[in-house]
Coordinates of all heavy atoms in Angstrom, one line a residue:
C1 N -87.3 -12.2 47.5 CA -87.0 -10.9 48.2 C -87.6 -10.9 49.6 O -88.7 -11.4 49.8 CB -87.7 -9.8 47.4 SG -87.6 -8.2 48.1
D2 N -86.9 -10.4 50.5 CA -87.4 -10.4 51.9 C -87.8 -9.0 52.4 O -88.0 -8.8 53.6 CB -86.3 -10.9 52.8 CG -85.9 -12.3 52.6 OD1 -86.8 -13.1 52.2 OD2 -84.7 -12.7 52.7
L3 N -88.1 -8.1 51.4 CA -88.5 -6.7 51.8 C -90.0 -6.7 52.2 O -90.3 -5.8 53.0 CB -88.2 -5.8 50.7 CG -86.8 -5.5 50.3 CD1 -86.7 -4.6 49.1 CD2 -86.0 -4.9 51.4
V4 N -90.8 -7.6 51.7 CA -92.2 -7.5 52.0 C -92.7 -8.9 52.5 O -92.2 -9.9 52.1 CB -93.0 -7.2 50.7 CG1 -94.5 -7.1 50.9 CG2 -92.5 -5.9 50.1
R5 N -93.6 -8.8 53.5 CA -94.2 -10.0 54.1 C -95.7 -10.0 53.7 O -96.3 -9.0 53.8 CB -93.9 -10.1 55.6 CG -92.5 -10.0 55.9 CD -92.2 -11.0 57.0 NE -90.8 -10.9 57.4 CZ -89.9 -11.8 57.2 NH1 -90.3 -12.9 56.5 NH2 -88.7 -11.6 57.5
Y6 N -96.2 -11.2 53.4 CA -97.6 -11.3 53.1 C -98.3 -12.2 54.0 O -97.7 -13.1 54.6 CB -97.7 -11.9 51.6 CG -97.1 -11.0 50.6 CD1 -95.8 -11.1 50.1 CD2 -97.8 -9.9 50.1 CE1 -95.3 -10.3 49.2 CE2 -97.3 -9.0 49.2 CZ -96.0 -9.2 48.7 OH -95.5 -8.4 47.8
C7 N -99.6 -12.0 54.1 CA -100.4 -12.8 55.1 C -100.7 -14.2 54.5 O -101.0 -15.1 55.2 CB -101.7 -12.1 55.4 SG -102.8 -11.7 54.0
S8 N -100.7 -14.3 53.2 CA -101.0 -15.6 52.5 C -100.3 -15.7 51.2 O -99.9 -14.7 50.6 CB -102.5 -15.8 52.4 OG -103.0 -14.9 51.5
D9 N -100.3 -16.9 50.6 CA -99.8 -17.1 49.3 C -100.6 -16.4 48.2 O -100.1 -15.9 47.2 CB -99.7 -18.6 48.9 CG -98.6 -19.3 49.7 OD1 -97.6 -18.6 50.2 OD2 -98.6 -20.5 49.8
A10 N -101.9 -16.4 48.5 CA -102.8 -15.7 47.5 C -102.6 -14.2 47.5 O -102.5 -13.6 46.4 CB -104.3 -15.9 48.0
C11 N -102.3 -13.6 48.6 CA -102.0 -12.1 48.6 C -100.6 -11.9 47.9 O -100.5 -10.9 47.2 CB -101.9 -11.6 50.0 SG -103.5 -11.4 50.8
Q12 N -99.7 -12.8 48.1 CA -98.4 -12.7 47.5 C -98.5 -12.7 45.9 O -98.0 -11.9 45.2 CB -97.4 -13.7 48.0 CG -96.0 -13.6 47.4 CD -95.1 -14.6 48.0 OE1 -95.5 -15.4 48.8 NE2 -93.8 -14.5 47.6
K13 N -99.3 -13.7 45.5 CA -99.5 -13.8 44.0 C -100.2 -12.6 43.4 O -99.9 -12.1 42.3 CB -100.3 -15.1 43.7 CG -99.5 -16.3 43.9 CD -100.3 -17.6 43.7 CE -99.4 -18.8 44.0 NZ -100.2 -20.1 43.8
E14 N -101.2 -12.1 44.2 CA -102.0 -11.0 43.7 C -101.1 -9.7 43.6 O -101.3 -8.9 42.8 CB -103.2 -10.7 44.7 CG -104.1 -9.7 44.3 CD -105.3 -9.6 45.3 OE1 -105.8 -10.6 45.7 OE2 -105.6 -8.4 45.6
H15 N -100.2 -9.6 44.5 CA -99.4 -8.4 44.6 C -98.1 -8.5 43.9 O -97.3 -7.5 43.8 CB -99.1 -8.1 46.1 CG -98.5 -6.8 46.5 ND1 -97.2 -6.6 46.8 CD2 -99.1 -5.5 46.4 CE1 -97.0 -5.3 47.0 NE2 -98.1 -4.7 46.8
K16 N -97.8 -9.6 43.2 CA -96.5 -9.9 42.6 C -96.1 -8.8 41.6 O -94.9 -8.4 41.6 CB -96.5 -11.3 42.0 CG -95.2 -11.7 41.4 CD -95.3 -13.1 40.9 CE -93.9 -13.5 40.3 NZ -93.9 -14.8 39.8
S17 N -96.9 -8.4 40.7 CA -96.5 -7.5 39.6 C -96.1 -6.1 40.2 O -95.1 -5.5 39.8 CB -97.7 -7.3 38.6 OG -98.8 -6.7 39.3
Q18 N -96.9 -5.6 41.2 CA -96.5 -4.3 41.8 C -95.2 -4.5 42.6 O -94.4 -3.6 42.6 CB -97.6 -3.9 42.8 CG -97.4 -2.6 43.4 CD -98.5 -2.2 44.4 OE1 -99.5 -2.9 44.5 NE2 -98.3 -1.1 45.1
H19 N -95.0 -5.6 43.3 CA -93.9 -5.8 44.1 C -92.6 -5.9 43.3 O -91.5 -5.4 43.6 CB -94.0 -7.0 45.0 CG -92.7 -7.3 45.8 ND1 -92.3 -6.5 46.8 CD2 -91.8 -8.3 45.6 CE1 -91.1 -7.0 47.2 NE2 -90.8 -8.1 46.6
Q20 N -92.7 -6.5 42.1 CA -91.6 -6.7 41.2 C -91.0 -5.4 40.8 O -89.8 -5.2 40.8 CB -91.9 -7.5 40.0 CG -92.0 -9.0 40.3 CD -92.3 -9.8 39.0 OE1 -93.0 -9.3 38.1 NE2 -91.9 -11.0 39.0
Q21 N -91.8 -4.4 40.5 CA -91.3 -3.1 40.2 C -90.6 -2.4 41.3 O -89.5 -1.8 41.2 CB -92.5 -2.2 39.7 CG -93.2 -2.6 38.4 CD -94.5 -1.9 38.1 OE1 -94.9 -1.1 38.9 NE2 -95.0 -2.2 37.0
E22 N -91.2 -2.4 42.5 CA -90.6 -1.8 43.7 C -89.3 -2.6 44.1 O -88.3 -1.9 44.4 CB -91.6 -1.9 44.9 CG -92.8 -1.0 44.7 CD -93.8 -1.3 45.8 OE1 -93.5 -1.9 46.8 OE2 -94.9 -0.7 45.7
C23 N -89.3 -3.9 43.9 CA -88.1 -4.7 44.3 C -87.0 -4.3 43.3 O -85.8 -4.2 43.8 CB -88.5 -6.2 44.2 SG -87.2 -7.2 44.8
K24 N -87.2 -4.2 42.0 CA -86.2 -3.8 41.1 C -85.6 -2.5 41.4 O -84.4 -2.3 41.3 CB -86.7 -3.9 39.7 CG -86.9 -5.3 39.1 CD -87.4 -5.3 37.7 CE -87.7 -6.7 37.2 NZ -88.2 -6.7 35.9
K25 N -86.5 -1.5 41.7 CA -86.0 -0.2 42.1 C -85.1 -0.2 43.3 O -84.1 0.4 43.4 CB -87.2 0.7 42.3 CG -86.9 2.1 42.7 CD -88.1 3.0 42.9 CE -87.7 4.4 43.4 NZ -88.9 5.2 43.7
R26 N -85.6 -0.9 44.4 CA -84.8 -1.0 45.6 C -83.5 -1.8 45.4 O -82.4 -1.4 45.9 CB -85.6 -1.7 46.7 CG -84.9 -1.8 48.0 CD -84.6 -0.5 48.6 NE -83.8 -0.6 49.8 CZ -82.9 0.2 50.2 NH1 -82.6 1.3 49.5 NH2 -82.2 0.0 51.3
A27 N -83.5 -2.8 44.5 CA -82.2 -3.5 44.2 C -81.2 -2.6 43.5 O -80.0 -2.6 43.8 CB -82.5 -4.7 43.3
A28 N -81.7 -1.7 42.6 CA -80.8 -0.7 42.0 C -80.3 0.3 43.0 O -79.1 0.6 42.9 CB -81.6 0.0 40.9
E29 N -81.1 0.7 43.9 CA -80.6 1.6 44.9 C -79.5 1.0 45.8 O -78.5 1.6 46.1 CB -81.8 2.1 45.8 CG -82.8 3.0 45.2 CD -84.0 3.3 46.0 OE1 -84.1 2.7 47.1 OE2 -84.9 4.0 45.5
L30 N -79.8 -0.2 46.2 CA -78.8 -0.9 47.0 C -77.5 -1.1 46.3 O -76.4 -1.0 46.8 CB -79.3 -2.3 47.5 CG -80.4 -2.2 48.5 CD1 -81.0 -3.6 48.8 CD2 -79.9 -1.7 49.8
R31 N -77.6 -1.5 45.0 CA -76.4 -1.7 44.1 C -75.6 -0.4 44.1 O -74.4 -0.4 44.2 CB -76.8 -2.2 42.8 CG -75.7 -2.6 41.9 CD -76.2 -3.3 40.6 NE -77.3 -2.7 40.0 CZ -78.6 -3.2 39.9 NH1 -78.8 -4.4 40.5 NH2 -79.5 -2.6 39.3
D32 N -76.3 0.8 43.9 CA -75.6 2.1 43.8 C -74.9 2.4 45.2 O -73.8 2.9 45.2 CB -76.6 3.2 43.4 CG -77.0 3.1 42.0 OD1 -76.3 2.4 41.2 OD2 -77.9 3.8 41.6
E33 N -75.6 2.1 46.3 CA -75.1 2.4 47.6 C -73.8 1.6 47.8 O -72.8 2.1 48.3 CB -76.0 2.0 48.7 CG -77.2 3.0 48.8 CD -78.2 2.5 49.9 OE1 -77.9 1.6 50.7 OE2 -79.3 3.0 49.8
I34 N -73.8 0.4 47.4 CA -72.6 -0.5 47.5 C -71.5 0.0 46.6 O -70.3 0.1 47.0 CB -72.9 -2.0 47.3 CG1 -73.8 -2.5 48.4 CG2 -71.7 -2.8 47.2 CD1 -74.4 -3.8 48.1
L35 N -71.8 0.4 45.4 CA -70.9 0.7 44.4 C -70.2 2.1 44.7 O -69.0 2.2 44.5 CB -71.6 0.9 43.0 CG -70.7 1.2 41.8 CD1 -69.7 0.1 41.6 CD2 -71.6 1.4 40.6
F36 N -70.9 3.0 45.2 CA -70.4 4.3 45.5 C -70.0 4.6 46.9 O -69.7 5.7 47.3 CB -71.3 5.4 45.0 CG -71.5 5.4 43.5 CD1 -72.7 5.0 43.0 CD2 -70.5 5.7 42.7 CE1 -72.9 4.9 41.6 CE2 -70.7 5.7 41.3 CZ -71.9 5.3 40.7
R37 N -70.0 3.6 47.8 CA -69.7 3.7 49.2 C -68.2 4.1 49.3 O -67.3 3.5 48.6 CB -70.0 2.5 49.9 CG -69.7 2.6 51.4 CD -69.9 1.3 52.1 NE -71.3 0.8 51.9 CZ -71.7 -0.4 51.8 NH1 -70.8 -1.4 51.9 NH2 -72.9 -0.8 51.5
Q38 N -67.8 5.0 50.1 CA -66.5 5.4 50.4 C -65.8 4.4 51.3 O -66.5 3.9 52.2 CB -66.4 6.8 51.0 CG -66.7 7.9 50.1 CD -65.7 8.1 49.0 OE1 -64.5 7.9 49.1 NE2 -66.2 8.4 47.8
P39 N -64.6 4.0 51.1 CA -64.0 3.1 52.0 C -63.9 3.6 53.4 O -63.7 4.8 53.6 CB -62.6 2.9 51.4 CG -62.3 4.1 50.5 CD -63.7 4.6 50.1
E40 N -63.9 2.8 54.4 CA -63.8 3.2 55.8 C -62.4 3.8 56.0 O -62.3 4.9 56.6 CB -63.9 2.0 56.7 CG -65.3 1.3 56.7 CD -66.3 2.2 57.4 OE1 -65.9 2.9 58.4 OE2 -67.5 2.1 57.1
S41 N -61.4 3.2 55.5 CA -60.0 3.7 55.6 C -59.1 2.9 54.7 O -59.5 1.8 54.2 CB -59.6 3.6 57.1 OG -58.3 4.2 57.2
S42 N -57.9 3.4 54.5 CA -57.0 2.6 53.7 C -55.9 2.0 54.6 O -55.9 2.4 55.8 CB -56.3 3.4 52.6 OG -55.4 4.4 53.2
D43 N -55.0 1.2 54.1 CA -54.0 0.6 54.9 C -53.0 1.7 55.4 O -52.2 1.5 56.3 CB -53.3 -0.5 54.2 CG -52.6 0.0 53.0 OD1 -53.1 0.9 52.3 OD2 -51.5 -0.6 52.6
R44 N -53.0 2.9 54.7 CA -52.1 4.0 55.0 C -52.8 4.9 56.0 O -52.2 5.9 56.4 CB -51.8 4.7 53.8 CG -51.0 3.7 52.8 CD -50.5 4.4 51.6 NE -49.6 5.4 52.0 CZ -49.5 6.6 51.3 NH1 -50.1 6.8 50.3 NH2 -48.6 7.5 51.8
G45 N -54.0 4.7 56.4 CA -54.7 5.6 57.4 C -55.4 6.7 56.7 O -55.7 6.7 55.5
D46 N -55.8 7.7 57.5 CA -56.6 8.8 57.0 C -55.7 10.1 57.1 O -54.8 10.2 57.9 CB -57.8 9.0 57.9 CG -58.8 7.8 57.8 OD1 -58.7 7.1 56.8 OD2 -59.5 7.7 58.7
C47 N -56.1 11.0 56.2 CA -55.4 12.3 56.3 C -55.9 13.0 57.6 O -57.0 13.1 57.9 CB -55.9 13.2 55.1 SG -55.3 14.9 55.1
P48 N -54.9 13.5 58.4 CA -55.3 14.1 59.7 C -56.0 15.4 59.5 O -56.5 16.0 60.5 CB -53.9 14.3 60.4 CG -52.9 14.3 59.3 CD -53.5 13.5 58.2
I49 N -56.0 16.0 58.3 CA -56.7 17.3 58.1 C -58.1 17.1 57.7 O -59.1 17.7 58.3 CB -55.9 18.2 57.1 CG1 -54.5 18.5 57.7 CG2 -56.6 19.5 56.8 CD1 -53.6 19.1 56.8
C50 N -58.4 16.4 56.6 CA -59.7 16.2 56.0 C -60.4 14.9 56.4 O -61.5 14.7 56.1 CB -59.7 16.4 54.5 SG -58.8 15.1 53.7
F51 N -59.6 14.0 57.0 CA -60.1 12.7 57.5 C -60.6 11.8 56.4 O -61.3 10.8 56.6 CB -61.2 12.9 58.5 CG -60.7 13.6 59.7 CD1 -61.2 14.9 60.0 CD2 -59.8 13.1 60.6 CE1 -60.8 15.7 61.1 CE2 -59.4 13.8 61.7 CZ -59.9 15.1 61.9
L52 N -60.1 12.1 55.1 CA -60.4 11.1 54.0 C -59.3 10.1 54.0 O -58.2 10.4 54.4 CB -60.5 11.9 52.7 CG -61.7 12.8 52.5 CD1 -61.6 13.6 51.2 CD2 -63.0 12.0 52.6
P53 N -59.6 8.9 53.5 CA -58.6 7.8 53.4 C -57.5 8.3 52.5 O -57.7 8.9 51.4 CB -59.3 6.6 52.9 CG -60.7 6.9 53.1 CD -60.9 8.4 53.1
L54 N -56.2 8.0 52.9 CA -55.1 8.4 52.1 C -55.1 7.4 50.9 O -55.4 6.2 51.1 CB -53.8 8.2 52.8 CG -53.5 9.3 53.9 CD1 -52.4 9.0 54.8 CD2 -53.3 10.7 53.2
P55 N -54.7 7.9 49.7 CA -54.8 7.0 48.5 C -53.7 5.8 48.7 O -52.7 6.0 49.3 CB -54.4 7.9 47.4 CG -53.9 9.2 47.9 CD -54.3 9.2 49.4
I56 N -54.1 4.7 48.1 CA -53.2 3.5 48.2 C -52.0 3.7 47.3 O -50.9 3.4 47.6 CB -54.0 2.3 47.8 CG1 -55.1 2.1 48.9 CG2 -53.1 1.1 47.7 CD1 -56.1 1.0 48.5
H57 N -52.2 4.2 46.1 CA -51.2 4.3 45.1 C -50.7 5.8 44.9 O -50.9 6.3 43.8 CB -51.6 3.7 43.7 CG -52.1 2.3 43.8 ND1 -51.2 1.3 44.1 CD2 -53.3 1.8 43.7 CE1 -51.9 0.2 44.1 NE2 -53.1 0.4 43.9
Q58 N -50.2 6.3 45.9 CA -49.7 7.7 45.8 C -48.1 7.6 45.7 O -47.5 6.9 46.6 CB -50.1 8.5 47.0 CG -49.9 9.9 46.9 CD -50.5 10.7 48.1 OE1 -50.8 10.1 49.1 NE2 -50.7 12.0 47.9
K59 N -47.6 8.2 44.7 CA -46.1 8.0 44.5 C -45.3 8.5 45.6 O -44.5 7.8 46.2 CB -45.7 8.7 43.2 CG -46.3 8.1 41.9 CD -45.9 8.9 40.7 CE -46.6 8.3 39.5 NZ -46.4 9.0 38.3
K60 N -45.4 9.8 45.9 CA -44.6 10.4 47.0 C -45.6 11.3 47.8 O -45.8 12.4 47.5 CB -43.5 11.2 46.5 CG -42.5 11.7 47.5 CD -41.3 12.3 46.9 CE -40.4 12.8 47.9 NZ -39.3 13.6 47.4
P61 N -46.1 10.8 48.9 CA -47.1 11.6 49.7 C -46.4 12.7 50.4 O -45.3 12.6 50.8 CB -47.7 10.6 50.7 CG -46.6 9.5 50.8 CD -45.9 9.5 49.5
P62 N -47.1 13.9 50.5 CA -46.6 15.0 51.2 C -46.3 14.6 52.6 O -47.2 14.1 53.3 CB -47.6 16.1 51.1 CG -48.5 15.6 49.9 CD -48.4 14.2 49.9
L63 N -45.1 14.9 53.1 CA -44.8 14.6 54.5 C -44.2 15.9 55.2 O -43.3 16.5 54.7 CB -43.7 13.5 54.5 CG -43.2 13.1 55.9 CD1 -44.2 12.3 56.6 CD2 -41.9 12.2 55.7
Y64 N -44.8 16.2 56.3 CA -44.4 17.4 57.0 C -43.2 17.0 57.9 O -43.3 16.1 58.7 CB -45.5 18.0 57.9 CG -46.4 18.8 57.1 CD1 -47.7 18.3 56.7 CD2 -46.1 20.1 56.7 CE1 -48.5 19.1 56.0 CE2 -46.9 20.9 55.9 CZ -48.2 20.4 55.6 OH -49.0 21.1 54.8
A65 N -42.1 17.6 57.7 CA -40.8 17.3 58.5 C -41.0 17.6 59.9 O -40.4 17.0 60.8 CB -39.7 18.0 57.9
C66 N -41.8 18.7 60.2 CA -41.9 19.1 61.6 C -42.6 18.1 62.5 O -42.2 17.9 63.7 CB -42.7 20.4 61.7 SG -44.3 20.3 61.0
C67 N -43.5 17.3 62.0 CA -44.2 16.4 62.8 C -44.3 15.0 62.2 O -45.0 14.1 62.7 CB -45.6 16.9 63.1 SG -46.6 17.1 61.6
S68 N -43.6 14.8 61.1 CA -43.6 13.5 60.3 C -45.0 13.0 60.1 O -45.3 11.8 60.2 CB -42.8 12.5 61.1 OG -41.5 12.9 61.3
T69 N -45.9 13.9 59.7 CA -47.3 13.5 59.4 C -47.5 13.5 57.9 O -47.1 14.4 57.2 CB -48.3 14.5 60.0 OG1 -48.0 14.5 61.4 CG2 -49.7 14.1 59.7
T70 N -48.1 12.4 57.4 CA -48.4 12.3 55.9 C -49.8 12.9 55.7 O -50.8 12.5 56.5 CB -48.4 10.9 55.5 OG1 -47.1 10.4 55.7 CG2 -48.7 10.8 54.0
I71 N -50.0 13.7 54.7 CA -51.3 14.3 54.4 C -51.7 14.0 53.0 O -50.8 13.6 52.2 CB -51.4 15.8 54.7 CG1 -50.4 16.6 53.8 CG2 -51.1 16.1 56.1 CD1 -50.6 18.1 53.8
C72 N -52.9 14.2 52.6 CA -53.3 13.9 51.2 C -52.9 15.0 50.3 O -52.6 16.1 50.7 CB -54.8 13.7 51.1 SG -55.8 15.1 51.4
E73 N -52.9 14.8 49.0 CA -52.5 15.8 48.0 C -53.4 17.0 48.0 O -53.0 18.1 47.8 CB -52.4 15.1 46.7 CG -51.2 14.2 46.5 CD -51.0 13.7 45.1 OE1 -51.5 14.3 44.2 OE2 -50.4 12.6 45.0
G74 N -54.7 16.8 48.2 CA -55.6 17.9 48.2 C -55.3 18.8 49.4 O -55.4 20.1 49.1
C75 N -55.1 18.4 50.6 CA -54.7 19.2 51.7 C -53.4 19.9 51.5 O -53.2 21.1 51.8 CB -54.8 18.4 53.0 SG -56.4 18.0 53.5
S76 N -52.4 19.2 50.9 CA -51.1 19.8 50.6 C -51.3 20.9 49.6 O -50.7 22.0 49.7 CB -50.2 18.7 50.0 OG -49.0 19.3 49.7
F77 N -52.1 20.7 48.5 CA -52.3 21.7 47.5 C -53.0 22.9 48.1 O -52.6 24.1 47.9 CB -53.2 21.2 46.4 CG -53.5 22.2 45.3 CD1 -52.5 22.6 44.4 CD2 -54.7 22.8 45.3 CE1 -52.8 23.6 43.5 CE2 -55.1 23.8 44.4 CZ -54.1 24.2 43.5
A78 N -54.0 22.7 49.0 CA -54.7 23.8 49.6 C -53.7 24.6 50.5 O -53.8 25.9 50.5 CB -55.9 23.3 50.5
N79 N -52.8 24.0 51.2 CA -51.8 24.6 52.0 C -50.9 25.5 51.1 O -50.6 26.6 51.4 CB -51.0 23.6 52.8 CG -50.1 24.3 53.8 OD1 -50.5 25.3 54.4 ND2 -48.9 23.8 53.9
Q80 N -50.4 24.9 50.0 CA -49.5 25.6 49.1 C -50.2 26.8 48.5 O -49.7 27.9 48.4 CB -49.0 24.7 48.0 CG -48.1 23.7 48.4 CD -47.7 22.7 47.3 OE1 -48.3 22.8 46.2 NE2 -46.7 21.8 47.6
K81 N -51.5 26.7 48.1 CA -52.3 27.8 47.6 C -52.4 28.9 48.6 O -52.3 30.1 48.3 CB -53.7 27.3 47.1 CG -54.5 28.3 46.5 CD -55.8 27.7 46.0 CE -56.7 28.8 45.4 NZ -58.0 28.4 45.0
R82 N -52.7 28.5 49.9 CA -52.8 29.5 50.9 C -51.5 30.3 51.1 O -51.5 31.5 51.2 CB -53.2 28.8 52.2 CG -53.4 29.8 53.4 CD -53.6 29.0 54.7 NE -52.6 28.0 55.0 CZ -51.4 28.3 55.5 NH1 -51.1 29.6 55.8 NH2 -50.5 27.4 55.8
E83 N -50.4 29.6 51.1 CA -49.1 30.2 51.2 C -48.8 31.2 50.1 O -48.3 32.2 50.3 CB -48.0 29.1 51.3 CG -48.0 28.4 52.7 CD -47.0 27.3 52.7 OE1 -46.3 27.0 51.7 OE2 -46.8 26.7 53.8
W84 N -49.2 30.8 48.8 CA -49.0 31.6 47.7 C -49.8 32.9 47.8 O -49.3 34.0 47.4 CB -49.3 30.9 46.4 CG -48.4 29.8 46.0 CD1 -47.1 29.7 46.4 CD2 -48.7 28.6 45.3 NE1 -46.6 28.5 45.9 CE2 -47.6 27.8 45.2 CE3 -49.9 28.2 44.7 CZ2 -47.6 26.6 44.6 CZ3 -49.9 27.0 44.1 CH2 -48.7 26.2 44.0
E85 N -51.0 32.8 48.3 CA -51.9 33.9 48.4 C -51.5 34.9 49.5 O -51.7 36.1 49.4 CB -53.4 33.5 48.6 CG -54.0 32.8 47.4 CD -55.3 32.2 47.7 OE1 -55.8 32.2 48.9 OE2 -56.0 31.7 46.8
E86 N -50.8 34.4 50.5 CA -50.3 35.2 51.6 C -49.1 36.1 51.2 O -48.8 37.1 51.8 CB -50.0 34.4 52.8 CG -51.2 33.9 53.5 CD -50.8 33.0 54.7 OE1 -49.6 32.8 55.0 OE2 -51.7 32.5 55.4
K87 N -48.4 35.7 50.1 CA -47.2 36.4 49.7 C -47.5 37.7 49.0 O -48.5 38.0 48.5 CB -46.3 35.5 48.8 CG -45.7 34.4 49.5 CD -44.8 33.6 48.5 CE -44.2 32.5 49.2 NZ -43.3 31.7 48.4

């Protein structure tokens, strides 16, 4: 592990048991960060409304005919809900 630096081998051996606990905890945190990291973007780009990556496997994405813009299903649903509430 490269998280901690020691002044000598003797200090490293003396501190080994305490460091192992901290190192395992930090390794678990790093694993979670990597596992739950959101992708930067998808090959289809981002939703222009919420800026989240558009899903890769979306059957028929909502497309606005007025501007030919593809949006995510969440933003499309929110727009439909707003239109229903205005009626």
